[in-house]
Amino acid sequence: MKTTIKLSDKVIIGIKKDIASGKLKKGEKIPAEPELMELYEVGRSTIREAIKTLAISGILKVQQGSGTFVTSKIKDETLLQRLKRADFEEINSVRLLLEKEIVRLACQHRSDEDVRLMQEHLQHRKKAIENNQQKKCAEADIAFHISIAKSSGNQVLSDLYENFTSVMRNFFTLRDAEDIGHFAQSQYSHESLAQAIALKNPKLAEQLILTILDNNY
């Protein structure tokens, strides 16, 4: 199940990508509203909302009677900034690559304390599900995956994965705040993943993380 993002955010991401790639250069006029509407398959109000947001951030400037111009380059981004303008498919593809390697290494290097922390986070996750606390459940879910990353023994990989957490939080909050069903459905898979890592079974751990990511949790 894919996460839905606001239509205006889709337009913002698209325009930022064009600026970052050099397709739209500083000082150039962006396409007119009708062209943008056709390009992104959205209505006029969505285009105007996106342009307003980019204008407030100083990336675009609206000149009455002349059009909208690029006023700032998007360069020297931090990794987190780059992730924030990525779309869901890009994030999920990279997350898949990272998590497969993370669980493989975790099976080799995890300590007993690492396993204890994983299980503790899963208990918090389970309790939040039982109490229908979506936000607490999302935080426990992220903490669980971070604990696996930290158990991998690769600090760079762990730090890289943590950069994904703020983006993941954003995707989680885009779901209905009261909808905790997807977390509940994947609780057993998460518990099985922790067990596979505890048993140092990389093949099973990789199968389980693929199942989890197929459901975007």
Side-chain angles (χ1 to χ4, degrees):
M1 179 177 178
K2 291 187 177 182
T3 301
T4 303
I5 65 172
K6 288 176 59 179
L7 291 176
S8 59
D9 287 341
K10 174 185 173 183
V11 178
I12 289 169
I13 290 169
I15 292 175
K16 281 186 172 182
K17 280 185 176 180
D18 285 345
I19 295 172
S21 68
K23 185 176 180 180
L24 287 173
K25 296 180 174 58
K26 184 177 180 180
E28 288 185 350
K29 185 166 72 171
I30 69 170
E33 284 184 357
E35 187 175 343
L36 291 173
M37 289 164 60
E38 182 177 354
L39 177 63
Y40 294 106
E41 300 180 338
V42 296
R44 189 179 300 275
S45 61
T46 299
I47 295 297
R48 289 182 175 178
E49 181 182 353
I51 290 175
K52 181 180 179 181
T53 299
L54 290 169
I56 291 172
S57 65
I59 294 172
L60 298 179
K61 183 177 181 180
V62 179
Q63 296 182 2
Q64 296 298 329
S66 298
T68 301
F69 296 82
V70 179
T71 57
S72 175
K73 294 180 180 179
I74 298 177
K75 62 178 183 178
D76 300 326
E77 292 179 295
T78 64
L79 176 59
L80 183 56
Q81 289 171 328
R82 178 63 186 88
L83 291 173
K84 284 183 176 179
R85 68 178 179 83
D87 60 31
F88 181 75
E89 287 75 15
E90 290 175 327
I91 289 293
N92 218 35
S93 293
V94 176
R95 185 185 173 194
L96 173 61
L97 293 172
L98 286 177
E99 297 235 33
K100 285 175 64 178
E101 181 65 10
I102 283 169
V103 298
R104 185 185 70 80
L105 291 174
C107 286
Q108 296 177 15
H109 302 292
R110 75 31 168 202
S111 66
D112 290 342
E113 176 62 14
D114 291 327
V115 174
R116 187 194 68 77
L117 284 173
M118 291 176 209
Q119 293 172 341
E120 182 179 305
H121 293 312
L122 287 176
Q123 285 299 314
H124 291 316
R125 191 182 191 274
K126 184 177 181 180
K127 184 177 180 180
I129 291 170
E130 292 170 348
N131 294 325
N132 199 34
Q133 296 172 310
Q134 196 265 2
K135 185 176 180 180
K136 286 187 177 180
C137 187
E139 290 298 329
D141 182 277
I142 291 170
F144 168 70
H145 286 281
I146 289 175
S147 69
I148 296 175
K150 288 182 176 179
S151 75
S152 70
N154 186 317
Q155 188 61 52
V156 174
L157 189 59
S158 176
D159 290 345
L160 181 60
Y161 185 80
E162 284 202 64
N163 273 286
F164 275 72
T165 60
S166 63
V167 182
M168 289 159 58
R169 284 187 180 92
N170 183 52
F171 287 133
F172 286 155
T173 56
L174 286 170
R175 293 186 186 274
D176 186 339
E178 301 301 321
D179 181 11
I180 207 165
H182 297 284
F183 285 112
Q185 291 169 13
S186 65
Q187 179 68 17
Y188 179 75
S189 296
H190 282 71
E191 292 172 352
S192 298
L193 175 60
Q195 183 66 12
I197 293 172
L199 294 173
K200 297 189 174 183
N201 187 333
K203 185 176 181 179
L204 178 57
E206 184 173 323
Q207 289 174 348
L208 288 163
I209 197 63
L210 289 174
T211 298
I212 290 169
L213 292 181
D214 279 344
N215 292 302
N216 298 331
Y217 281 125

